[in-house]
Amino acid sequence: MPNARTANFSRRGLLATGGALGLGAFLAACGDSDSKDSGSDSTAGAKASGPWSFKDDRGTTVKLDKVPANIVAFTGVAAALYDYGVSVKGVFGPTRTADGKPDVQAGDMDISKLTILGNAWDQFNVEKYATLAPDVLISTMFDDAGTLWYVPEASKDKIAQLAPSVGISVYDRQLTKPLERMWELAESLGGDMTSAKVTDAKKRFEEAATRLRAAAKAKPEIKVMAGSASQELFYVSGTNLSIDLEYFKALGVNFVEPPESAKKQGGGWFESLSWENVDKYAADIIMMDDRSSTIQPADIAEATWKKLPAVKAGQVIARSPEPILSYDKCVPLVENLAEAIEKATKVS
């Protein structure tokens, strides 16, 4: 749910660091690695035999003697790199669902071939991470403080001692910026950025953006609401801070905007509503959070939900609040919203 970005950050401190037998000796043997040098930018198209450097969105430049071979990444980042031909050795974050299937954030990766260090919030097996001999850890960042997404607060210092890290910001910017940054990162890691699949995906993304802009312009009266569901509450996201919603708004989409005062408890991201008040905002299309941690529309039993005009009209689509940052995976996000607006009937 969107509130993972606020409430869950405070929950990081709940992770116990016990049980790390032998880790202290391992860290001492590894020593400290200094990765903070803001003097150079990413090295595009680096060769596997040559030095590698990348300046991340914290202003930190990671420098290594060669292109990283043992990469560990947040699952969604790993999925994006996979689309560009860059494989990772281990992942952390939602990867496998309760029934053993790939999580939506795993993209096209074969999760049976991955070492999963943690599958949920505050799960990160530091000992197993150490055995991978990681060259670099890569994650996204949902704040301006450089907090690496899904790296537990309680063990972040131990994790940091094992390998340098790279952070790509997905905070308070439009989708196109992190897409560009992930492209640059993949290119620096040896990704094939000239393949027909990659270049075609980028072209299709640009075409989808043009289509969405045209749809929004043709139907400015269509109101779109971004929602997320839990057992107790319904969350309405504002367009500020979220990379996808900021981008869609820039293309002209007319969004429901909760007032800033209502979003305070959600850290500025969203407003929390009881199910009795789920009809507070009028909407013609509802975009619902597709992450496995949320309740999906087909499973919402609340009568107040079923009475919403957009729900009754069948004008509910999926939204990916944590998009896989490859053009291939972002194309359908833009196309689906464009199609929904094109076909939508004014019901609010």
Side-chain angles (χ1 to χ4, degrees):
M1 298 180 296
N3 59 327
R5 298 171 187 147
T6 51
N8 278 351
F9 274 114
S10 62
R11 287 172 51 207
R12 289 183 178 222
L14 298 178
L15 181 63
T17 57
L21 296 177
L23 181 60
F26 186 95
L27 295 175
C30 289
D32 292 332
S33 59
D34 181 10
S35 64
K36 294 193 175 181
D37 178 352
S38 59
S40 70
D41 295 319
S42 62
T43 305
K47 303 299 181 182
S49 59
W52 180 83
S53 70
F54 187 85
K55 185 175 182 179
D56 75 0
D57 291 337
R58 298 170 297 185
T60 297
T61 299
V62 178
K63 291 183 177 181
L64 299 173
D65 292 337
K66 60 180 180 180
V67 176
N70 295 342
I71 302 170
V72 173
F74 172 69
T75 302
V77 170
L81 293 176
Y82 179 87
D83 285 350
Y84 292 131
V86 178
S87 298
V88 306
K89 202 165 185 179
V91 296
F92 56 94
T95 307
R96 183 187 291 118
T97 60
D99 58 3
K101 296 179 180 179
D103 188 273
V104 65
Q105 296 193 63
D108 294 334
M109 295 188 296
D110 182 349
I111 63 173
S112 68
K113 296 180 180 180
L114 296 171
T115 297
I116 301 174
L117 303 174
N119 197 59
W121 190 262
D122 267 349
Q123 290 182 1
F124 193 112
N125 190 319
V126 185
E127 295 81 6
K128 187 181 289 187
Y129 177 57
T131 65
L132 294 178
D135 293 320
V136 67
L137 178 146
I138 308 171
S139 190
T140 48
M141 301 181 297
F142 279 92
D143 60 25
D144 56 6
T147 306
L148 296 173
W149 192 230
Y150 268 79
V151 173
E153 180 70 22
S155 54
K156 67 177 184 179
D157 291 340
K158 292 179 179 179
I159 293 168
Q161 290 181 60
L162 290 167
S165 62
V166 167
I168 299 297
S169 180
V170 288
Y171 176 74
D172 196 17
R173 61 202 61 204
Q174 293 181 26
L175 176 61
T176 46
K177 183 59 178 178
L179 273 172
E180 291 168 1
R181 293 293 285 143
M182 191 62 70
W183 176 288
E184 293 167 2
L185 177 59
E187 187 174 34
S188 79
L189 293 168
D192 184 359
M193 317 311 287
T194 61
S195 71
K197 179 182 177 182
V198 170
T199 56
D200 177 65
K202 190 173 184 181
K203 180 180 179 182
R204 287 188 294 112
F205 178 84
E206 293 165 352
E207 292 171 345
T210 299
R211 177 183 175 184
L212 179 54
R213 188 189 296 276
K217 184 177 182 180
K219 289 188 172 181
E221 73 281 4
I222 296 299
K223 198 81 170 180
V224 180
M225 179 168 67
S228 184
S230 72
Q231 290 288 353
E232 299 81 16
L233 296 168
F234 182 82
Y235 306 91
V236 180
S237 293
T239 58
N240 293 337
L241 308 182
S242 297
I243 57 173
D244 61 330
L245 302 185
E246 284 199 11
Y247 182 56
F248 298 153
K249 182 180 180 181
L251 292 176
V253 177
N254 183 10
F255 278 102
V256 167
E257 293 281 5
E260 291 302 317
S261 58
K263 294 187 294 181
K264 280 186 178 180
Q265 287 189 328
W269 293 87
F270 56 84
E271 177 181 1
S272 303
L273 299 176
S274 66
W275 283 104
E276 290 76 13
N277 296 316
V278 73
D279 60 353
K280 178 177 179 179
Y281 298 107
D284 303 297
I285 295 172
I286 303 176
M287 302 174 67
M288 288 297 291
D289 190 337
D290 68 356
R291 289 174 293 182
S292 56
S293 58
T294 68
I295 300 176
Q296 296 306 300
D299 300 319
I300 298 176
E302 301 290 341
T304 48
W305 162 262
K306 295 179 179 180
K307 291 178 181 178
L308 292 177
V311 176
K312 292 172 69 175
Q315 295 178 172
V316 178
I317 64 172
R319 175 201 170 205
S320 297
E322 295 182 54
I324 294 173
L325 296 172
S326 71
Y327 288 102
D328 180 68
K329 294 300 180 290
C330 287
V331 167
L333 308 184
V334 184
E335 287 182 336
N336 291 346
L337 181 54
E339 181 179 9
I341 294 174
E342 290 166 352
K343 294 181 177 179
T345 300
K346 183 70 178 174
V347 294
S348 64

